[in-house]
Amino acid sequence: MTLRWKSFAVAAALLAGSSLAGMPTAQAQTTMKVVMHSDVKIVDPIWTTAYIVRNHGYMIYDTLFALDDKGEVKPQMVETFTESPDKLTYKFTLRDGLLWHDGKPVTSEDCIASIKRWSARDPIGQKLMTFVDGITADDARSFTVKLKSSTGLLIFGLGKPSSNVPFMMPKRVAETDPNTQISEFIGSGPFVLKTDEWKPGDKIVYTKFKDYKPRAEPASGLAGGKVAKIDRIEWLAVSDQQQAVNALLAGEIDMIEQPSFDLIPLLKADKAIKLIDYNPLGLQYTLRPNHTIKPFDNPKIRQALTYALNQKDFLEAVVGNPDYYKTCKAMFICGSPMASEKGMDGLLESNFNKSKELLKEAGYDGTPVVLLHSTDLQTLTNLAPVAKQLMEKGGFKVDMQSSDWQSVVARRVRKTPVADGGWNAMLTAWVSADVLNPVMAGFFNASCDKAAFGWPCDEQMEKLRDDFARETDPAKQKAITEAVQMRWREVVTHVHLGQYTVPIATRQNISGILTAAAPVFWNLEKK
Amino acid sequence: MLGYILRRLLATIPVLLIVAVLVFLMLRMTPGDPAAVIAGDNASTAQIAAIRAKLGLDQPIIAQFAIWAGNLLQGNLGESFFFKKTIGELILGRIEPTLSLAVFTMAIAICVAIPLGVLAAYKHGSWIDRVVMGFSVLGFSVPVFVIGYLLIYVFAITLGWFPVQGYQPISAGFGGFIQRLTLPAVTLSVIYIALIARMTRASVLEVLSEDYIRTARAKGQVERKILFRHALKNAAVPIVTVVGIGIALLIGGVVVTESVFAIPGLGRLTVDAVLARDYPTIQAVILLFSVVYVAVNLGIDLVYCLFDPRIRY
């Protein structure tokens, strides 16, 4: 018996030794291990707006245009484009030598099919298509877009930086029904998805696309030369934030995309780690009232919200560290071109007397407001208790109902009275890149049933949004934006609760992180 | 014996049927809509409705159940709403880490707990007994994640002996496999060591007071033989029960440990599926867990005969 155990131990040691001996060969290429904010379960960035899928999209797909680090839209797959004097005809020519990951050339037909699928799902795409008369392929590398009337949305939309991003796909893939997920994951971007190694719940793996042809310009935001310098990138699914931080401290992983705020001091204390604010515009918190049922069907009662609430209380409760948040009364993101504080005087300052006064004028009968509280998302959990407290001080009665986020997501699409499972208010966050102007920002859509959950209904707001979509002059766009903000003060589609940023945490040997609206992995180096 | 096994196997059918119906109904009564989850923030009501139709969620519950049960009878567990894989593929991909963790954990627990329990029983009332029982109370009382983080801090971050997280399949190298599994298995084993040691101590103590032990001692048998050949064998039935149930629990419920150590096993699959309202995956995994429980219980009953020849079926 003793002999047998000894033999087993020797065999085990030999096996272990042989497996360890094999490791250096396997690690010859540069590999970067990253913990992203979520696991990738869906890989169709047109089908879903989930930010993790958008991030995945930037790995394997490319775009016709892209936003640079100054917030300007620049050609990406497009080499040149021309605009007719009447601004109704646009001709696009693709860069020479663009290839799909299967080695086939990228054609104008592929891009037309991709634009059509994207526009069927995306709010800007849908609006853009109301201006489009037709898109035709001129030859393998060129296509023409004819408009019914001029719009600033064409180039802007094709360079839209966040969900849904108009990523280009091969025609056979892009012809998939927009309501069905694609089943083939071929892009023309700087990285290739290793489908054989993708294990949802464990990891998703990308390798460098050796035939990718980057632009000649240096990388800038989402635009410029996308040069992949790391051979293999693994996004690991680590659901426990503390464990992700432990792994980064121990050098087992190279980066955490969104470390939780309470663990940042641990990371700051380690000299091997650096924190980088890659997206200075960050995110924006929002309270969305349901316009279809009492009491928020009354605009005066919605206005009371803008007096009762203030941004600092929310930001302190959730983010806590002033380095990572800022109060900003501008609806369209402080630091971006359309930001303006016009019409915001006196609002978002927790003027409880004014709030009570408005509720009295509106005849608020004290019916409790059902406020949805999600309990399982760290970045949202503390918002509802703060909202409840401030609203109650402002004269509302609040019935805060707690559940997990997915229950909130399911419930928020219900228009029924609260007694039948409906709701009055809920809280969420938007990436600033999705809220840069009145057409992009989904909560400004006031087209009644066609609007996002909450369903605001206001013809004047819709007219202003249409005006914005038609306008091509940035100065005039800004003026329209201010008019939107003034109208918002009357109709209160939603209430913005401040901006915050989440830094990326990396090991010191990682360099080249770009300032962009989404985390990207080209230009990164690991030494 | 064969008749008994067949009867037990037949008895599992109504159990599984009841579990299937209950799980199916409970999921449909739980708030949450997979279509809304899939559709995302910008989706219109029409888009959500289209996804519901695509997934068959717009059909009456009875029709949905009939389709699912029909597929199940043909061995088709369906396709995940989210992972875009068949459930069979998903489970196969997740079963190795969970099984490895369960087996390794129980191996550690058995190797440590049984000698400790026997020793505590043999040294009944001594300081050794008190230390073993004190450890046992501690093992029950400290939450798994606290032990996990403590071990990670000491052995992974401070000493650097083990990786902080992750799983390596055995096919990628035995050394890495064992290295990555050690901390999670030790973490999980603490509670089982406590449980099995207590059970072993109690059972062995009971047996040690039996007449045949006194007879063996009177015949001059050495204590080691008395303890391990006579006492432990006769005390084995409750220990086997605890070990068996422990394995079943480990396969079905190592969610915290799998999350803390980032092990892509069935526990995390279940949590992910529940959070995403992935009905087909939840249904299949819970059914699988039920099958495991039934099978383990049957196994335990059969193993009883090995230790106690008086038990007959």
Side-chain angles (χ1 to χ4, degrees):
Chain A
M1 182 67 115
T2 315
L3 195 63
R4 247 188 282 164
W5 275 107
K6 274 183 184 167
S7 309
F8 174 76
V10 169
L14 283 173
L15 269 169
S18 63
S19 67
L20 289 171
M23 280 172 71
T25 321
Q27 289 178 346
Q29 57 180 356
T30 40
T31 299
M32 187 173 174
K33 297 188 177 190
V34 185
V35 172
M36 299 297 282
H37 70 270
S38 165
D39 182 30
V40 183
K41 296 186 181 74
I42 294 168
V43 278
D44 184 345
I46 304 302
W47 197 66
T48 175
T49 56
Y51 290 137
I52 190 66
V53 189
R54 172 203 64 187
N55 298 348
H56 153 79
Y58 276 115
M59 297 297 280
I60 71 167
Y61 300 109
D62 212 344
T63 52
L64 294 173
F65 289 83
L67 210 62
D68 70 6
D69 60 5
K70 294 182 188 68
E72 290 170 14
V73 178
K74 295 283 169 65
Q76 182 52 234
M77 291 168 78
V78 165
E79 187 168 84
T80 55
F81 72 101
T82 58
E83 178 187 71
S84 65
D86 61 1
K87 296 187 175 178
L88 293 179
T89 305
Y90 287 78
K91 283 183 180 292
F92 300 93
T93 303
L94 298 172
R95 283 193 283 135
D96 192 19
L98 296 179
L99 295 175
W100 298 113
H101 295 160
D102 60 6
K104 291 178 182 151
V106 175
T107 68
S108 49
E109 294 278 5
D110 296 321
C111 297
I112 292 169
S114 299
I115 293 169
K116 284 181 178 167
R117 185 162 188 266
W118 163 74
S119 61
R121 296 283 297 188
D122 182 74
I124 284 194
Q126 288 162 7
K127 184 67 102 181
L128 171 63
M129 279 299 149
T130 63
F131 290 90
V132 171
D133 197 26
I135 311 177
T136 49
D138 303 325
D139 58 47
R141 277 178 55 212
S142 305
F143 62 98
T144 300
V145 178
K146 286 198 171 166
L147 302 176
K148 295 173 204 161
S149 58
S150 67
T151 175
L153 284 188
L154 178 60
I155 304 300
F156 178 80
L158 294 177
K160 190 185 173 200
S162 194
S163 299
N164 302 92
V165 179
F167 291 119
M168 295 298 113
M169 299 176 181
K171 187 179 177 211
R172 65 180 185 281
V173 179
E175 282 177 339
T176 308
D177 177 345
N179 291 316
T180 301
Q181 287 185 55
I182 56 172
S183 53
E184 197 183 352
F185 315 111
I186 300 280
S188 64
F191 294 96
V192 178
L193 172 66
K194 294 280 289 173
T195 46
D196 56 332
E197 292 192 53
W198 176 37
K199 290 181 189 161
D202 184 13
K203 66 179 175 184
I204 185 163
V205 179
Y206 305 93
T207 52
K208 183 175 169 175
F209 178 36
K210 292 190 173 59
D211 293 327
Y212 182 75
K213 190 180 171 189
R215 292 188 73 87
E217 306 95 307
S220 170
L222 303 169
K226 297 180 176 179
V227 180
K229 297 174 181 173
I230 292 175
D231 301 308
R232 178 183 167 92
I233 291 175
E234 295 180 8
W235 290 1
L236 307 177
V238 178
S239 55
D240 186 282
Q241 270 282 334
Q242 175 68 58
Q243 192 62 333
V245 167
N246 288 339
L248 185 65
L249 293 173
E252 279 178 33
I253 61 167
D254 302 291
M255 179 188 282
I256 302 175
E257 185 206 358
Q258 289 185 9
S260 73
F261 292 111
D262 57 332
L263 296 172
I264 284 178
L266 265 180
L267 295 166
K268 272 189 171 168
D270 193 315
K271 285 182 182 164
I273 308 295
K274 58 185 173 184
L275 292 155
I276 297 170
D277 192 1
Y278 78 96
N279 180 9
L281 292 183
L283 301 97
Q284 184 191 61
Y285 281 126
T286 306
L287 180 141
R288 177 70 152 184
N290 182 351
H291 295 236
T292 59
I293 55 171
K294 283 182 183 304
F296 291 132
D297 58 341
N298 183 334
K300 203 159 251 183
I301 295 180
R302 297 198 298 272
Q303 286 168 21
L305 284 173
T306 65
Y307 286 98
L309 303 177
N310 76 83
Q311 296 186 339
K312 198 167 185 205
D313 285 5
F314 288 96
L315 295 167
E316 280 189 345
V318 185
V319 183
N321 185 341
D323 292 346
Y324 300 114
Y325 72 71
K326 71 175 161 196
T327 55
C328 165
K329 285 191 176 182
M331 302 275 336
F332 298 104
I333 307 300
C334 286
S336 78
M338 294 296 142
S340 165
E341 295 223 346
K342 192 169 182 186
M344 302 304 292
D345 296 341
L347 305 185
L348 296 168
E349 290 172 2
S350 281
N351 182 345
F352 300 124
N353 289 334
K354 180 70 180 171
S355 170
K356 284 176 187 168
E357 198 182 300
L358 281 169
L359 290 180
K360 198 174 172 188
E361 280 175 31
Y364 174 58
D365 62 0
T367 305
V369 169
V370 170
L371 175 68
L372 303 185
H373 172 215
S374 80
T375 54
D376 58 333
L377 283 188
Q378 184 240 341
T379 51
L380 297 180
T381 300
N382 290 348
L383 292 175
V386 175
K388 176 180 161 63
Q389 194 179 36
L390 294 176
M391 286 167 70
E392 284 176 345
K393 283 184 179 172
F396 288 93
K397 279 192 180 163
V398 179
D399 174 9
M400 188 173 80
Q401 298 188 2
S402 305
S403 62
D404 71 320
W405 174 245
Q406 297 306 348
S407 296
V408 172
V409 167
R411 195 170 172 188
R412 72 188 182 185
V413 296
R414 302 189 69 163
K415 286 185 186 172
T416 51
V418 291
D420 299 325
W423 57 283
N424 295 121
M426 58 87 60
L427 295 130
T428 188
W430 288 89
V431 167
S432 295
D434 284 329
V435 198
L436 294 174
N437 67 48
V439 178
M440 281 179 109
F443 279 173
F444 278 94
N445 182 340
S447 57
C448 314
D449 285 350
K450 289 180 188 163
F453 55 89
W455 309 280
C457 201
D458 186 63
E459 277 183 22
Q460 199 175 327
M461 180 65 86
E462 282 304 285
K463 186 186 170 305
L464 286 167
R465 292 178 73 237
D466 284 343
D467 290 345
F468 184 93
R470 268 185 219 100
E471 190 51 65
T472 53
D473 178 351
K476 288 179 182 165
Q477 282 184 334
K478 179 91 178 251
I480 296 169
T481 302
E482 288 179 343
V484 165
Q485 210 157 279
M486 295 303 288
R487 183 60 188 162
W488 166 84
R489 196 180 163 123
E490 301 300 316
V491 296
V492 190
T493 47
H494 59 289
V495 187
H496 55 307
L497 302 173
Q499 289 173 221
Y500 67 103
T501 55
V502 188
I504 272 182
T506 72
R507 305 279 306 172
Q508 289 286 3
N509 61 338
I510 301 294
S511 60
I513 292 174
L514 294 166
T515 301
V520 290
F521 289 81
W522 57 85
N523 203 55
L524 294 192
E525 283 182 89
K526 182 178 176 180
K527 285 169 187 156
Chain B
M1 175 71 92
L2 193 63
Y4 171 77
I5 294 173
L6 280 175
R7 276 199 307 280
R8 284 289 298 266
L9 288 176
L10 283 174
T12 60
I13 293 171
V15 172
L16 295 179
L17 193 65
I18 290 167
V19 170
V21 173
L22 281 179
V23 170
F24 192 90
L25 290 177
M26 277 166 61
L27 282 176
R28 265 62 184 181
M29 285 190 289
T30 311
D33 180 358
V37 178
I38 289 166
D41 273 1
N42 282 338
S44 65
T45 314
Q47 283 170 331
I48 293 170
I51 295 171
R52 284 181 66 78
K54 191 101 190 160
L55 299 176
L57 295 169
D58 58 339
Q59 296 186 40
I61 287 182
I62 293 176
Q64 289 182 45
F65 183 77
I67 292 168
W68 177 65
N71 287 335
L72 197 64
L73 286 174
Q74 293 170 43
N76 177 8
L77 290 168
E79 189 175 296
S80 161
F81 287 167
F82 285 85
F83 298 108
K84 301 317 287 172
K85 286 186 172 187
T86 63
I87 311 283
E89 274 179 278
L90 264 183
I91 289 176
L92 274 180
R94 299 298 193 97
I95 209 155
E96 188 201 310
T98 299
L99 267 182
S100 306
L101 185 57
V103 170
F104 197 17
T105 300
M106 287 318 286
I108 294 171
I110 290 166
C111 292
V112 175
I114 292 180
L116 277 182
V118 172
L119 190 65
Y122 186 64
K123 300 281 184 184
H124 176 56
S126 71
W127 66 269
I128 294 175
D129 185 21
R130 283 198 292 276
V131 167
V132 172
M133 287 306 100
F135 173 78
S136 180
V137 170
L138 204 67
F140 277 124
S141 320
V142 184
V144 169
F145 70 91
V146 173
I147 298 168
Y149 284 140
L150 193 69
L151 292 178
I152 287 164
Y153 179 73
V154 176
F155 294 104
I157 295 178
T158 309
L159 298 172
W161 292 353
F162 297 98
V164 170
Q165 47 81 51
Y167 174 77
Q168 180 178 307
I170 197 163
S171 55
F174 187 73
F177 168 77
I178 289 291
Q179 205 184 22
R180 288 189 183 274
L181 220 49
T182 300
L183 285 188
V186 170
T187 302
L188 267 177
S189 69
V190 170
I191 194 164
Y192 291 100
I193 290 172
L195 191 66
I196 296 168
R198 273 189 96 85
M199 187 59 74
T200 307
R201 176 184 176 274
S203 301
V204 171
L205 261 182
E206 198 181 322
V207 172
L208 283 177
S209 63
E210 296 283 342
D211 288 345
Y212 61 86
I213 296 290
R214 204 177 310 125
T215 308
R217 279 186 176 135
K219 283 167 70 181
Q221 289 263 15
V222 289
E223 282 299 312
R224 191 161 54 91
K225 272 191 179 170
I226 291 171
L227 271 177
F228 288 97
R229 192 164 291 176
H230 297 288
L232 189 56
K233 191 177 175 189
N234 286 297
V237 168
I239 300 169
V240 166
T241 310
V242 172
V243 170
I245 297 293
I247 289 173
L249 284 172
L250 281 168
I251 289 172
V254 289
V255 174
V256 175
T257 318
E258 285 185 4
S259 295
V260 167
F261 288 95
I263 296 171
L266 288 173
R268 275 183 63 201
L269 175 66
T270 313
V271 173
D272 286 349
V274 168
L275 289 176
R277 305 294 189 269
D278 191 350
Y279 295 162
T281 307
I282 304 169
Q283 286 159 195
V285 171
I286 292 178
L287 258 190
L288 174 74
F289 291 160
S290 310
V291 171
V292 168
Y293 273 89
V294 169
V296 166
N297 270 309
L298 178 60
I300 291 168
D301 287 350
L302 298 178
V303 170
Y304 285 165
C305 308
L306 296 178
F307 291 100
D308 190 345
R310 289 169 298 177
I311 298 174
R312 286 279 177 269
Y313 298 111

